[in-house]
Each structure stands twice: as structure tokens, then as C-alpha cells.
Amino acid sequence: MPSEYRTGGGAVVETAGKDERIRVTGAEAKRVKREALGVPDRAKHQQRVAVPMQRRTPEADTRQRVYRYRCYPTPTQAEQLIKTFGACRWTYNEGLALREKAWREHRVSLGFAESCRALTGWRNAEETRWLQDVSSTVLQQALRHLDAAFGRFFKGTAKHPRRKKKSRSRDSATYVRTGFRWLEDPEQSGTGLIALAKQSGPLRIRWSRPLPSGVRPVKLTVSRDRAGRFFVSVLAEERIAPLPPVFLRDGGAPKAVGLDLGLTALVTLDDGEKVDHPRLLRKYGAKIAKLQRSLHRKKRGSKNREKARQEIARLYALISDVRRDALDQLTTRLVRENQVLVVEDLSIDSLVRSPRGRGRRRKAGLNRAILDAAWGTLLRQLRYKCSWYGRTLVIVDRFFPSTRRCSACRATGPKLDLAVRGWSCGGCGAVHDRDVNAARNLREEGMRLYELVASALPPGRAMPSMIRASEMPDVVVAA
């Protein structure tokens, strides 16, 4: 059992077994932060009791939505943005190193406030004076992202934060309302001028669609992909009107659809419709291999090698854009046409686990096909679109035998290999298409869960936007 004892300096030190120092708090922690870590004490409001920072709550009946636009900065603006990306990456890594050192060497915990006070010292130091060329609010947002990463790590939903690398991490910088100026165009509502901190002129933005009229952006995120394209993502708070409910003509029940995700067909609906898998990596595989061979023939550090790398990045950017647009159109159509959407709870991380032993080449090809299908992106889009437009997404338990259960007589057959695309029921003799049968079983099981939740809700209460079978312990999975 851990025990505590109080030192002469007022610090509370916890002990547990062999580890004699778990965490140092109180006056001793302040001294360690000030003398060993270079984190000064609070200079303002010293008499005020410190309270944890609270997230900004949106207005009532509003939702946060991100609008992404292509922007074309001038050479001077691009140079300043690239410097901002590097400063954010350096600040993130320095804050991570400081927090790791504080805990590893002194058993002291640092938070966002202490990291911001350390940032002030970094900006005033002679060797890192170049940080003053970047807005302080942008650097503070980098530390806030680090604090959020540690929060997810302590909750057990993510791994420990790791350092950002120029060759691996995405170039991005987040500007809050004090870091940019927004002037809406009175002639074209929803468009306007955006000027970032430390820049004299506004960005040239291609307004592919307008922002909500009269809504001021909450924050901006400027990013650059590997192909060298700049984008600005605008976070706005708006009221999204739900779509009209969709019911069946005969009995007035909500219109539902079962969706079976696969590789032969990307999505199979319970009515037999199949959405083709674009297989973009296979389509452009020969061209990617040719460009990769050309890249490896170039000398490292040469301009020709950089040109070859950019050509590969542009091709991957094309594949990503085509995939994202196709999934966005598909999910929007499904949400508009149906009131209840039923999918299976997929553990994608387990499905794409690294191949080992015999058959690893086949497993590697299967992993590549699963990642090319982007099931995770499809499910993510269904989740937030159902929440926006008043639909219900039902996620059936992953152990539900949707594939080997007969949708006609409900009999459960033996386990089927992935190569088997059709089978006949031994009980009733019905012949089934593997994917269509699974989609029909998912729809039936999803409606069973939907009716259970609907019957348990009080009168006048709206249905939730998502029903997950794994979060309903009293519900038994149908055989």
C-alpha cells in the first residue's frame, strides 16, 4: 500500500514498494520547477487561487464544423508560414522533453500553465530569440496540443506522446481568435479576408463554398501537405438543421439500411446494391513503383531527388483526394436516404495487424487492401453526419454472426473462408450471397436494438444519434 510522508519543505512524497519517490508536490515542487527546470512562479494574480482551465463551450443548439479551403500564400507569406510550422514543432518537442525530464529526474508534474511560463523564457533566451518571429498564441496552441495528448495518454485512449519529426509529422499551425483578423465581404456573404498574425497582408483563399453568414470563425488551422499545397481549416459554430425523417410507406416504421463493409465491394446494402471498391492503390500501383524506383536512383540531397519526391507526394495527394471525395458523397447519400443505418463494430487495428509466419505475404496484401478501403474514415463520416442530421447509427456487436447466419430461417452455419462468396443454407436450402446476407442480418439485428432503445426512452425524448451494442450490457447478442 502506498504511504505518504511530509518533508520539511512542505512537499508531499508518496512511497510505494521499491519506488521511494512517486510524486513531489507543494513548496518543494515549486522550488524544483524554479531552480532545476527553469519554470518561473506565477507573476500575475499570485493571491488568486489557481483553477483548472476550462474549454470554451459553444452556444446553445450550435455545432462546431470545419470548412477546409485551399490557400495560395505569397512567397513571403509562405516563408513565414514554414518558419511558423518549424517553431510549433520545436515548441512541442521542447515541451515534451521538459515534462519528461521533470517527471523522470524530479518526480514533478508539469501542466499547460507551467509550459507556457517556460515558453516565455525560451522566447527571451538569446539562442532561441527566433521564436519571437512567430506569434506567441500559435506556440501556446502547440503546447495545448501536447497537453491534450498527455490527457489522452492518462485516460488510456492513446499511447505516450512522441517527438515530432520534420519528415514524419504534418506541418500545421493553429490560430485562435487573437491570432488572426477576419473581415467578411458584404457583397459575398460567407467569404472575406483572413490576415494571420505576423503577416501584413491577407491570405489568398479559394472560397469553394461560403461560411455560414454572419458567423465569425472560432479558430484557424493552416497546414501544408507533402505535395507542398497549403490549406486553411476554419472552425465555425453554426446551427445545422436536421433532415426530414424518413419512414416506410406501409407501416410508418423508420427506413433502415444494413451496411456490410468489404473488399470485393466497398459497401453492400441489404437490398442487394453494391458500391464498387475503387482500389486506388492498385490502380496507381505501377506508377507509384516506377516513381519510387526513379527516386532511389537519385542522389541524396540533390534537386532531382527532391523533384522526384514531390512527384510521388502529388500522386499520393491525388489518391487521398479521390478517396475522400468518394467516401463523402457515399456517406451523404446514405444519410439522406435512410433514418437508421446499421453497421458492424470493426476493430480495424486488429484487422491490419502486422503479418507474421506463414502466409505473411498474403496477409500484407490484405492489410494494404483494408487500408485502401478506408473503413475508418467511412465510419467516422457516418458518425458525425448522423449526429448532425438527426439520424441514428446502430453499431452491432462484432461477435454477431452476420456472415454465416441464414437471413431466411435464422440458422447459423459453419465458419466461412474469405474466398467463399456464396453459400446455401443446410436448413432451408436458401442460396445466399455472402455480403448481401450479412447486410440483411445486420439490418435485422440493428432494428432489434433500435426498438429496445426506443421502448426504454421516456415520452418525447429523441432517439440518440448512435447506439452501440457493446455499451448495452443487458442486451444478449442474437444467435
Side-chain angles (χ1 to χ4, degrees), residues 57-319:
T57 56
E59 299 179 3
D61 299 332
T62 60
R63 296 182 182 273
Q64 292 186 343
R65 188 172 185 175
V66 177
Y67 293 82
R68 187 168 179 257
Y69 304 97
R70 180 83 180 271
C71 64
Y72 302 88
T74 63
T76 304
Q77 291 175 337
E79 182 181 358
Q80 201 278 335
L81 286 175
I82 293 174
K83 183 183 295 184
T84 302
F85 298 151
C88 291
R89 186 169 53 249
W90 185 92
T91 303
Y92 185 96
N93 293 337
E94 197 69 15
L96 176 60
L98 180 65
R99 295 178 70 147
E100 289 179 342
K101 177 183 177 181
W103 180 254
R104 182 179 62 253
E105 299 182 3
H106 307 284
R107 288 297 188 268
V108 173
S109 298
L110 295 183
F112 172 71
E114 290 88 350
S115 301
C116 287
R117 295 202 296 268
L119 174 62
T120 304
W122 299 337
R123 286 168 58 87
N124 295 330
E126 187 66 27
E127 60 274 10
T128 55
R129 190 67 60 89
W130 53 273
L131 290 174
Q132 296 184 1
D133 298 336
V134 180
S135 173
S136 60
T137 58
V138 179
L139 302 181
Q140 289 175 0
Q141 287 301 308
L143 294 177
R144 188 176 294 278
H145 295 164
L146 174 64
D147 190 66
F150 270 105
R152 292 189 294 269
F153 167 69
F154 292 137
K155 290 180 181 179
T157 59
K159 296 182 179 180
H160 189 277
R162 60 177 182 174
R163 291 176 58 87
K164 291 188 175 183
K165 291 185 178 181
K166 185 177 181 180
S167 59
R168 182 184 62 195
S169 303
R170 185 176 71 108
D171 292 337
S172 64
T174 302
Y175 296 80
V176 293
R177 283 184 172 178
T178 57
F180 66 91
R181 298 191 303 273
W182 161 253
L183 180 62
E184 188 172 3
D185 189 352
E187 298 181 356
Q188 297 181 356
S189 179
T191 65
L193 300 177
I194 294 179
L196 303 178
K198 298 292 183 176
Q199 293 189 1
S200 57
L203 282 176
R204 179 169 166 254
I205 301 176
R206 183 180 180 274
W207 297 99
S208 55
R209 56 176 175 171
L211 292 172
S213 178
V215 175
R216 186 187 178 193
V218 177
K219 64 180 178 180
L220 309 175
T221 299
V222 183
S223 59
R224 184 182 65 161
D225 62 4
R226 302 300 297 172
R229 303 179 301 176
F230 286 87
F231 296 91
V232 55
S233 300
V234 183
L235 178 64
E237 293 179 355
E238 60 175 314
R239 289 176 172 84
I240 302 177
L243 294 173
V246 182
F247 296 97
L248 296 177
R249 296 180 180 179
D250 50 2
K255 185 179 179 181
V257 60
L259 306 174
D260 180 67
L261 308 185
L263 298 178
T264 304
L266 179 61
V267 178
T268 303
L269 280 63
D270 61 271
D271 59 359
E273 178 186 354
K274 294 188 177 183
V275 180
D276 293 336
H277 191 336
R279 302 183 185 276
L280 296 173
L281 290 181
R282 178 182 296 182
K283 178 180 179 181
Y284 294 98
K287 188 174 182 180
I288 292 174
K290 181 180 178 180
L291 293 177
Q292 290 285 4
R293 288 192 296 266
S294 176
L295 174 68
H296 287 286
R297 285 195 296 265
K298 303 296 188 295
K299 183 179 179 181
R300 289 184 176 273
S302 64
K303 293 185 178 179
N304 289 333
R305 185 180 178 90
E306 179 62 21
K307 292 179 182 179
R309 187 202 64 79
Q310 290 182 358
E311 191 172 359
I312 295 175
R314 285 193 294 268
L315 180 56
Y316 273 111
L318 171 65
I319 294 174

Side-chain angles (χ1 to χ4, degrees), residues 28-48:
E28 179 66 17
K30 293 183 178 180
R31 184 192 66 81
V32 171
K33 295 176 184 178
R34 181 176 60 253
E35 298 179 2
L37 302 176
V39 178
D41 296 334
R42 289 193 303 161
K44 297 181 180 180
H45 313 296
Q46 293 186 1
Q47 303 299 327
R48 183 181 301 177

Side-chain angles (χ1 to χ4, degrees), residues 261-263 266-267 277-281 319-320 322-328 330-331 346 348 352 366-383:
L261 308 185
L263 298 178
L266 179 61
V267 178
H277 191 336
R279 302 183 185 276
L280 296 173
L281 290 181
I319 294 174
S320 178
V322 172
R323 181 189 294 122
R324 186 187 305 111
D325 181 68
L327 292 178
D328 192 52
L330 173 62
T331 53
L346 297 176
I348 301 177
V352 296
L366 180 63
N367 292 352
R368 188 161 49 249
I370 293 175
L371 295 176
D372 190 19
W375 291 342
T377 303
L378 190 148
L379 295 176
R380 179 182 62 84
Q381 292 184 3
L382 286 178
R383 281 195 295 268

Side-chain angles (χ1 to χ4, degrees), residues 344-355:
E344 186 179 3
D345 189 7
L346 297 176
S347 178
I348 301 177
D349 292 339
S350 301
L351 293 175
V352 296
R353 193 169 296 167
S354 300

